[in-house]
Amino acid sequence: MSVDTKRQNGQLDVGTGLIGVGTLVAIVGAFLPWLTAGGWLGDASIASGLGMISDAALPIYSPILTVGLAVLAVVLSVGVPDNDLARMGEIAAGVVIALVAVIFVVSPETVFGGGIEGAFRDAVSDPGIGIIATLAAGIVIAVGGALNMSG
């Protein structure tokens, strides 16, 4: 039994479904904590992705960008069904979302323009569940775009 990745009679395919799920995860991830502070009393969330919009050094590190790209991928998938350029746009949107999340996890001081230093940086550099969800969303969206292209 194989999974059909092509659209038939107006039904959505697997790739479009993955893009839709990834978009929902990106939206939810924007409301969840993107950074946590570790301490001897346990972890505490610092701020949700939306709560840190004004703190980021560049707009590229904003959940507005990640959610916007996710929504764009849905629009391309549903609105432009038979176009390879649109499929590449879906893949690119997913990759950029994942890259933003990876930069945020690997180098939070870059996100804040070098504004956090030393022990404070080490204390708040633990990724929160929101940024992990955003990373997963980007990967799922890119895979959905790739499935749409191959279908």
Side-chain angles (χ1 to χ4, degrees), residues 2 4 6 16 26 30-31 33-34 36 46 50 53 62 66 74 76 79-80 84 105 115-116 125 127 138-139 141 146:
S2 67
D4 186 11
K6 294 186 179 181
T16 301
F31 291 95
W34 279 29
T36 58
I46 298 293
L50 293 175
I53 290 173
S62 169
T66 58
V74 168
L76 290 173
V80 190
D84 285 342
V105 169
I116 58 176
S125 63
I139 293 169
I141 290 169

Side-chain angles (χ1 to χ4, degrees), residues 89-148:
E90 295 163 5
I91 294 168
V95 168
V96 170
I97 292 167
L99 284 175
V100 168
V102 166
I103 290 169
F104 209 98
V105 169
V106 172
S107 182
E109 62 274 3
T110 301
V111 174
F112 298 107
I116 58 176
E117 298 295 331
F120 181 68
R121 180 192 66 225
D122 295 339
V124 298
S125 63
D126 294 333
I129 188 71
I131 199 66
I132 301 301
T134 301
L135 174 62
I139 293 169
V140 168
I141 290 169
V143 168
L147 285 175
N148 281 346

Side-chain angles (χ1 to χ4, degrees), residues 46-91:
I46 298 293
S48 71
L50 293 175
M52 295 187 329
I53 290 173
S54 63
D55 297 331
L58 297 172
I60 190 170
Y61 304 117
S62 169
I64 293 172
L65 174 71
T66 58
V67 170
L69 286 172
V71 170
L72 174 65
V74 168
V75 169
L76 290 173
S77 183
V78 174
V80 190
D82 297 323
N83 186 309
D84 285 342
L85 190 56
R87 303 300 72 83
M88 288 189 293
E90 295 163 5
I91 294 168

